[in-house]
Amino acid sequence: MTPLPRHLLPLTADVIGGRLHVGGCDVIELADRYGTPLFVYDEVHLRERAREAVAAFGDGATYASKAFLCRAMAQLVAEEGMGIDVSTGGELHVVLAAGTPSDRITLHGNNKSVDELARALDIGVGRIVVDSFEEIDRIEELVAKGASQPRVFLRVTPGVEAHTHEYVMTGQDDTKFGFGLASGAAHEAVARVRSSEAMELVGIHAHIGSNIFLLSSFEKAIERLAPFVLPLALPELSLGGGLGVAYVEGEEAPTITEWSGVLRRSCAEHGLTAKLVVEPGRSIAAAAALTLYRVGTIKELPDIRTYVSVDGGMSDNPRPVLYGSGYEAFLPRATEAERPLVATVVGKHCESGDILVRDAHLPADLVVGDVLATPVTGAYGHSMASNYNKVPRPPVLFVRDGDVRVVVRREELDDLLALDSD
Ligand SMILES: Cc1ncc(COP(=O)(O)O)c(C=O)c1O
């Protein structure tokens, strides 16, 4: 099997004597120094993607923090001119701790609590994406008690089935998110919000799903939305996130610039002139990072399968288990080597389903003790990480020009006891 395709590596990836360097750092040295598992982010890559989004969408470019969030990430996207969206009070807390200006924050969520809404109103959040009639009631009650009037989007579901995994598909009629167009709920919600003194409607929001490769899915959504959105003559239109990224050999995804071209053209074709807002998460963060593991055991089951066990697993990357997502694996000591060995890379959790890469292609000379890497783990890896089996979560490094910043430290064993009562 062929070497790892280069386009799956971060922008500054460089191979010196076979060894992978990212951000001017030898990644095996990083693994030796900071331990494994380890998330390594190429800061230049993150900034390039954020800049591309801002070049394409101006201040309508809003980073979806659920893809990957820590203080340093919130600061990075703000420095590059992006707004940021949060979908819980927890994400809001982190983003505020990072110093993000309130008016650059958008609050999402299909079940926002009164406390979450109250805090958002208190800090003067930029936009609230209203998702239900109950939420309209809650905002009205809070404003009646003295909270400031928010600017809101209404989240609608255009009835489009994006070509992606059903768990990350959100634009279809059968969904917990938003107000349905087909059912008439969206029309009713507009009427409610427009007649309310408690909030100002600035736009319609639609997010049809995540990891979408076919730009025609977005065109379909715009086509469905246009007859509803046009007569409202609102100043903004948010088309959410969802642009796909290549994870494995043979996959190719459109760029943010190409995505923008299609969205703009399609909006223009339907007479939509509102300011475009988008919320890319994966397309900013995913390919910027790789995860480094240490190989602990290699179990050959003759005529069945070879299992390669590493020191992380579903707790640092639940996507293969949740969505059946595919990844590549390679050895950073031999980045460009042929990979003839087919093996299943598994984690250390007490689950047979704890699989990271089902049919990984690896160099034949793989040995216990090797550092093994999975690329394109910058989105929905660390942010979905758990402490299952009381495995401490890995640290996160930002690397750039040979400098290393530990932006999230490794959890220690005592952190696992931090919340227990005596
Ligand atoms: C409302 C909303 N906006 C943006 C995103 C980000 O999507 P992605 O990371 O696929 O760009 C999501 C992801 O689920 C979402 O639900």
Side-chain angles (χ1 to χ4, degrees):
M1 186 69 177
T2 52
L4 179 80
R6 199 54 189 260
H7 74 281
L8 299 178
L9 289 172
L11 268 185
T12 69
D14 194 11
V15 180
I16 304 173
R19 286 166 74 111
L20 177 65
H21 290 62
V22 175
C25 300
D26 180 322
V27 303
I28 294 176
E29 283 175 13
L30 294 176
D32 290 343
R33 180 156 166 217
Y34 295 95
T36 50
L38 180 64
F39 286 98
V40 179
Y41 281 77
D42 178 358
E43 191 175 328
V44 166
H45 188 121
L46 288 173
R47 289 186 187 276
E48 279 295 315
R49 290 289 80 79
R51 280 175 203 169
E52 186 184 0
V54 171
F57 296 101
D59 69 358
T62 308
Y63 173 65
S65 70
K66 59 179 77 71
F68 165 60
L69 179 63
C70 61
R71 270 196 290 222
M73 185 61 184
Q75 283 158 359
L76 183 150
V77 293
E79 282 162 15
E80 298 301 340
M82 293 187 85
I84 195 159
D85 91 39
V86 297
S87 39
T88 65
E91 288 175 351
L92 178 60
H93 192 67
V94 173
V95 164
L96 288 173
T100 306
S102 305
D103 64 343
R104 297 295 286 143
I105 303 173
T106 300
L107 177 66
H108 271 285
N110 68 299
N111 187 21
K112 303 175 190 75
S113 69
V114 172
D115 285 351
E116 286 172 324
L117 288 168
R119 185 160 192 210
L121 296 182
D122 190 41
I123 59 138
V125 77
R127 302 282 183 272
I128 295 178
V129 184
V130 172
D131 205 284
S132 68
F133 290 109
E134 289 86 345
E135 190 179 332
I136 298 174
D137 295 339
R138 284 177 201 143
I139 293 174
E140 284 182 330
E141 279 165 31
L142 287 165
V143 173
K145 286 184 192 153
S148 58
Q149 187 205 45
R151 295 199 163 115
V152 304
F153 281 109
L154 275 185
R155 180 162 179 173
V156 309
T157 44
V160 169
E161 300 208 350
H163 288 273
T164 187
H165 192 283
E166 69 168 306
Y167 291 178
V168 292
M169 203 156 76
T170 54
Q172 71 280 16
D173 291 326
D174 181 358
T175 174
K176 69 172 183 170
F177 294 106
F179 300 95
L181 266 190
S183 68
H187 296 80
E188 199 184 327
V190 167
R192 274 273 328 257
V193 169
R194 279 202 150 159
S195 66
S196 174
E197 303 266 293
M199 60 202 91
E200 180 192 350
L201 180 63
V202 295
I204 297 300
H205 175 286
H207 168 80
I208 56 173
S210 204
N211 207 24
I212 297 167
F213 286 80
L214 290 179
L215 294 179
S216 56
S217 294
F218 293 100
E219 291 176 309
K220 223 186 295 170
I222 291 167
E223 190 186 325
R224 288 275 177 88
L225 285 167
F228 172 70
V229 169
L230 256 180
L232 301 178
L234 293 167
E236 298 177 21
L237 172 64
S238 175
L239 294 169
L243 182 62
V245 302
Y247 282 93
V248 294
E249 183 166 15
E251 271 183 349
E252 257 186 62
T255 64
I256 291 172
T257 309
E258 287 163 348
W259 183 42
S260 144
V262 167
L263 296 187
R264 290 197 181 287
R265 198 164 48 247
S266 182
C267 282
E269 272 167 23
H270 292 91
L272 295 169
T273 54
K275 172 182 158 183
L276 260 194
V277 176
V278 289
E279 299 163 344
R282 189 187 310 270
S283 53
I284 301 289
L290 37 85
T291 310
L292 305 178
Y293 302 98
R294 187 80 62 177
V295 174
T297 64
I298 301 174
K299 201 167 281 182
E300 284 175 39
L301 307 181
D303 301 325
I304 303 178
R305 181 183 294 279
T306 297
Y307 284 101
V308 175
S309 295
V310 296
D311 50 2
M314 61 193 285
S315 56
D316 59 73
N317 187 0
R319 294 189 66 253
V321 179
L322 277 175
Y323 316 124
S325 308
Y327 284 87
E328 296 283 345
F330 70 101
L331 301 181
R333 69 166 164 79
T335 313
E336 292 169 329
E338 294 289 320
R339 299 175 302 159
L341 171 69
V342 178
T344 297
V345 179
V346 294
K348 61 182 289 160
H349 295 277
C350 294
E351 297 253 356
S352 296
D354 174 25
I355 291 171
L356 284 168
V357 189
R358 184 169 292 279
D359 288 312
H361 294 270
L362 289 161
D365 63 350
L366 169 81
V367 290
V368 167
D370 264 333
V371 171
L372 179 149
T374 51
V376 202
T377 54
Y380 305 104
H382 189 268
S383 67
M384 287 181 133
S386 76
N387 284 132
Y388 180 46
N389 289 141
K390 294 294 185 203
V391 172
R393 277 173 287 202
V396 178
L397 308 184
F398 278 11
V399 291
R400 180 183 183 176
D401 297 334
D403 287 335
V404 182
R405 272 202 291 159
V406 181
V407 296
V408 181
R409 71 161 170 84
R410 182 179 298 284
E411 272 182 332
E412 304 296 340
L413 290 177
D414 277 343
D415 290 324
L416 301 173
L417 293 164
L419 305 180
D420 285 23
S421 309
D422 290 335

